[in-house]
Amino acid sequence: MTRVRAIELRLVGLPLVRPFRTSFGEQTRKVCVLVRVETDGAEGWGECVADIDPGFSEEFNEGAWLVIRTFLAPALFAVGDVEPRDLDGVFAGVRGNPMAKAALVNAFLDAWLRERDRSLAGFLGADKERVACGVSVGIAPTTEELLDHVRGYLEEGYRRIKLKIEPGTDVERVAAVRAAHPDILLSVDANAAYTLNDLHVFRALDRFSLLMVEQPLGHEDLVEHAKLQQEIRTDVCLDESIRSAALAASALEIGACRIVNVKQGRVGGLLEAKRVHDVARAQGAPVWCGGMLETGLGRAVNLALAALPGFTLPGDTSSSARYFTEDITEPHVMAPDGTMPVPGGPGIGVVPKADRLAECTLRSEALAP
Ligand code: OSB
Ligand code: MG
C-alpha cells in the first residue's frame, strides 16, 4: 500500500524548435502542467497532456490545474493507503477530465513503482527494449518547405512519416511527398477537420498507399467514420474519438476504424491505456503510441507503453531534439536505425534536471491533505 503525503503542481513552458501547425491551430511553445507526488518512500512525476487552449479536447492547462487541485488531489489524500488498481474508484466522482486524471495516476504509479524498485515497462508487460519511431510533421507554409522537413526527418532515420493535413492543400501535399518518397511508410492526420461531404478527398488520398488516415472526421462521429471506412481502402485510425477502452471497443466493433492511436493522457492514464491496448489486441487491431509533444517526462511514459506487444506500428515517439533544444530530462535520443531505447530504471526511468526545470517553471503550488 502507498499513501500520498504531498502533491506539487507546476506549470512549465519550453520553446519548440519549430512551430507545429495542425488543422486546429499553431503552437510555438509547449506549456503543460507537471504533477509531483510524494509518498513515504519515493516521489513520482506525471505530465498532463492538455495544452494552453481547449483545441484538441475540452481540457486545457488552467482547467486541469483546477480539477486536480479542487477534486482529484483531495480524493487521493482522503483515501489514504492505495494500490494502482484502486485509482479508478478514487477518481470515480469526477466525470471525464482524462488528461487531468492521467497526470495524477501516472505520477502515483511512478512513485509506487520506485518504492518497489520496478520499471514501468515491466509493470505494463512490455516485451521490447527498443521501439520503432515515427515523426509527426506539421503543416508547412509551402510544399517545398514540407519536402525539406520530410527529407531531414528521413535522413535522421524516422521509420514513418505522418503528415498533418487540412482542407485545401491535402491531396497536393501528399502527392508531392509520395512522389519524392515512393516507398516510405506514410500516413496523414486530419485532426477532425473534415465531414462526410469531403469523401472525394479521401477517395483521392486512397491512391497514395497510405498506412492510415488518422481522425478524418469529428471526435463524436463514430458512425460517420464507419461509413467513411466502408467507402475507402485506406485504414482509418482514430485518435480524438478514443477517450476510453469502452469507446475503443465500440469503434472497432462498428468498423469506425481498423487502427487505434493510443495516447495515455487522452484516455485517463497508463492503466486505461493498457486496457485500450488489450481491447484492440483481442479484436486483432494494430495500435501505436501517439504523442502530444510531451517533454522528456511524458515521452518516457509513452516509450514504455509503446513497448507492449500490441504496438506493432511506429509511434509518434520522436527524439527530444525534434521538439526542444533542451528537454527537461536527459534527452531521449533516436538511433540512426530509427529506434529508441525504452527507459529501464525504476518507475518511469527519468527525472527532471533540477536546473532546467527551474528555468522552465512559470508557476507552482503545493497541495497537502
Ligand atoms: O493529433 O496526434 C495528434 C500533437 C499535439 C496534439 C495532437 C497531435 C499531435 C501530434 C504530435 O501529432 C505527436 C508528437 O510528436 O508528440
Ligand atoms: Mg492525431
Side-chain angles (χ1 to χ4, degrees):
M1 296 292 252
T2 292
R3 180 182 292 252
V4 173
R5 300 288 181 187
I7 297 175
E8 185 188 55
L9 301 181
R10 190 182 280 265
L11 191 70
V12 296
L14 298 75
L16 292 173
V17 290
R18 73 163 57 125
F20 186 67
R21 193 155 82 77
T22 65
S23 62
F24 66 90
E26 181 173 83
Q27 253 179 286
T28 54
R29 238 163 51 113
K30 171 70 186 175
V31 182
C32 65
V33 179
L34 302 182
V35 177
R36 186 175 63 84
V37 307
E38 282 172 36
T39 62
D40 290 326
E43 64 173 39
W45 288 88
E47 174 171 337
C48 181
V49 303
D51 208 331
I52 296 174
D53 50 34
F56 176 82
S57 83
E58 297 90 336
E59 292 184 84
F60 59 103
N61 290 335
E62 296 302 326
W65 184 292
L66 201 56
V67 167
I68 295 171
R69 184 180 71 186
T70 316
F71 304 107
L72 301 176
L76 191 55
F77 287 135
V79 74
D81 290 324
V82 275
E83 295 288 336
R85 65 171 170 275
D86 304 323
L87 293 175
D88 282 345
V90 173
F91 300 140
V94 176
R95 193 186 296 275
N97 293 280
M99 295 176 177
K101 286 177 184 166
L104 199 49
V105 166
N106 295 353
F108 175 85
L109 261 184
D110 185 25
W112 185 87
L113 288 164
R114 284 177 195 272
E115 285 187 350
R116 287 155 185 78
D117 205 26
R118 294 177 62 185
S119 75
L120 175 61
F123 170 77
L124 292 173
D127 70 347
K128 305 189 257 306
E129 282 175 7
R130 306 188 67 84
V131 298
C133 300
V135 59
S136 174
V137 187
I139 299 169
T142 64
T143 302
E144 288 60 45
E145 283 165 88
L146 175 65
L147 287 168
D148 271 355
H149 296 165
V150 168
R151 190 178 329 109
Y153 290 133
L154 289 171
E155 279 166 13
E156 287 179 52
Y158 285 104
R159 292 200 186 175
R160 185 228 60 205
I161 297 288
K162 162 171 136 183
L163 305 177
K164 292 290 189 179
I165 56 167
E166 66 182 351
T169 54
D170 38 34
V171 177
E172 149 204 342
R173 296 283 175 97
V174 174
V177 172
R178 186 45 108 194
H181 308 284
D183 300 321
I184 60 167
L185 287 185
L186 183 64
S187 70
V188 295
D189 186 357
N191 288 111
Y194 297 84
T195 71
L196 276 179
N197 293 331
D198 301 306
L199 186 56
H200 61 282
V201 173
F202 298 100
R203 289 233 165 90
L205 292 176
D206 248 351
R207 298 199 312 265
F208 301 112
S209 307
L210 299 176
L211 184 58
M212 70 189 84
V213 47
E214 183 177 340
Q215 196 68 42
L217 312 178
H219 71 118
E220 290 178 326
D221 298 349
L222 279 197
V223 171
E224 287 81 354
H225 277 106
K227 288 185 180 158
L228 175 65
Q229 181 67 95
Q230 285 203 325
E231 298 292 328
I232 62 175
R233 258 195 333 262
T234 308
D235 289 340
V236 171
C237 168
L238 289 178
D239 176 358
E240 283 90 328
S241 295
I242 307 296
R243 288 132 179 272
S244 64
L247 271 170
S250 301
L252 288 167
E253 188 176 324
I254 68 164
C257 64
R258 298 188 188 132
I259 300 176
V260 177
N261 168 336
V262 182
K263 284 183 183 166
Q264 54 76 27
R266 194 194 60 227
V267 301
L270 284 158
L271 301 169
E272 184 73 2
K274 163 85 158 106
R275 292 190 280 265
V276 175
H277 162 272
D278 295 347
V279 156
R281 206 159 177 238
Q283 301 211 29
V287 304
W288 56 280
C289 183
M292 295 287 286
L293 311 179
E294 287 91 343
T295 76
L297 285 172
R299 200 148 304 280
V301 157
N302 290 349
L303 289 165
L305 191 61
L308 292 183
F311 285 76
T312 52
L313 297 169
D316 283 341
T317 47
S318 311
S319 285
S320 290
R322 179 258 173 268
Y323 308 96
F324 314 110
T325 38
E326 189 185 354
D327 208 332
I328 60 170
T329 60
E330 289 301 326
H332 296 283
V333 181
M334 184 182 71
D337 73 351
T339 68
M340 193 125 71
V342 176
I348 64 173
V350 299
V351 290
K353 297 186 290 186
D355 51 348
R356 181 63 176 149
L357 182 65
E359 247 168 40
C360 296
T361 297
L362 305 170
R363 186 169 96 231
S364 68
E365 181 177 347
L367 309 176

